[in-house]
Amino acid sequence: MVIELVVVALIVGVVVGVVVYLLGRSKKATVPAPATPQPKAPADPFAEVGGTEGDPRSLKAGDMVDFGVERSWIRGSLRLSEGGSVWSEHFLEVEGGRRWLSVEEDPDVQLVMWTGRPDLDLVPGPKRLEVDGVQYGLSERGTASYRSEGTTGLRERGGMDYADYKSRDGHHLSFERFDHGSWEASLGTSVAPGSFTIYPGS
C-alpha cells in the first residue's frame, strides 16, 4: 500500500512538472521580442507638408517661412518680456530693407508683419499720428527686456522701449528703441496664422 502511494505521488509530481514546464515555454513563446528602432529617414525641408503650417510660437533662427510665392529665412530672433507678458520678433532675410514677424499670445496668437520705415521723421508721444494719409492712435507703450538669438544686430541681452499705435482699419505703427538708442519706426499688417508654412531649420 505504501509503495503504491509513493508510485502515485511520483507520477503526479512528474505530470505537474511537465505541465509547469510546458506552460512556461508557452508564455516565453508568446512574448514578442523588443522592436529594433528604425533609423529616421532623411526629410526634404523643401517638400510639400500637406496642409501643415507649423506653430509660429516655435519659430527660431534658421527656419524657412513660405508665404506662398514669397520664401524667406529667419536670420535672428528677439525674445521679449515685460512683467508676465512675453512675445517674439523674428527678423527675415530680405534685400534692401528690414522686415520682421512678431508673434504674441494675448490670449490668441497674434501675428504682425513689420517693415522698417527709417524715412519717417517721427517720434512717439502724441496720442495720434498720421503716416501716408492714415491716422493712428496710441494703443500701448512700455519697457521690456530682450534676449537675442542669431543675427539681430543687438547685444545678447538688453532692454527696449516701445510705443504701439493702431489705425481704425487694423494697421499698425510701432516705435522701438533698444538700449537707450534712437527711436525706430515701422509699419505693420496683421497676418493670419494659416497663411504661411514653416520649414524648421536644423
Side-chain angles (χ1 to χ4, degrees):
M1 186 70 177
V2 174
I3 294 175
E4 292 177 356
L5 289 175
V6 170
V7 171
V8 170
L10 286 174
I11 293 173
V12 170
V14 169
V15 170
V16 170
V18 170
V19 170
V20 170
Y21 172 74
L22 291 176
L23 286 175
R25 285 194 61 185
S26 176
K27 287 181 180 178
K28 288 180 182 179
T30 58
V31 174
T36 303
Q38 297 295 323
K40 194 172 182 181
D44 179 4
F46 300 98
E48 294 297 327
V49 189
T52 301
E53 289 83 22
D55 187 350
R57 296 169 298 181
S58 66
L59 282 169
K60 64 186 183 306
D63 290 351
M64 187 181 74
V65 185
D66 193 342
F67 293 92
V69 297
E70 183 181 0
R71 180 168 287 178
S72 183
W73 280 262
I74 295 177
R75 297 202 59 196
S77 301
L78 291 180
R79 310 297 180 180
L80 300 120
S81 62
E82 179 186 18
S85 300
V86 294
W87 68 100
S88 300
E89 294 182 358
H90 305 284
F91 296 89
L92 302 175
E93 175 72 34
V94 293
E95 293 185 8
R98 192 162 181 256
R99 294 178 66 199
W100 62 95
L101 180 69
S102 64
V103 181
E104 181 177 5
E105 285 187 272
D106 189 27
D108 297 326
V109 176
Q110 299 179 9
L111 308 174
V112 179
M113 180 66 74
W114 298 93
T115 301
R117 290 292 302 270
D119 57 303
L120 296 180
D121 188 19
L122 294 174
V123 293
K127 290 185 178 180
R128 301 197 67 80
L129 288 172
E130 182 177 336
V131 178
D132 300 336
V134 179
Q135 292 283 337
Y136 295 87
L138 180 65
S139 61
E140 186 179 10
R141 67 182 307 161
T143 299
S145 59
Y146 72 80
R147 177 170 50 85
S148 177
E149 302 171 357
T151 302
T152 64
L154 298 171
R155 302 183 306 185
E156 183 178 350
R157 295 179 183 273
M160 60 92 77
D161 303 305
Y162 68 90
D164 292 336
Y165 290 74
K166 195 171 183 179
S167 69
R168 289 185 176 181
D169 59 357
H171 287 81
H172 303 269
L173 167 66
S174 181
F175 296 88
E176 294 181 331
R177 179 172 62 184
F178 294 94
D179 302 316
H180 307 293
S182 302
W183 285 106
E184 301 174 9
S186 57
L187 295 179
T189 55
S190 297
V191 177
S195 62
F196 58 90
T197 302
I198 301 168
Y199 298 91
S202 56

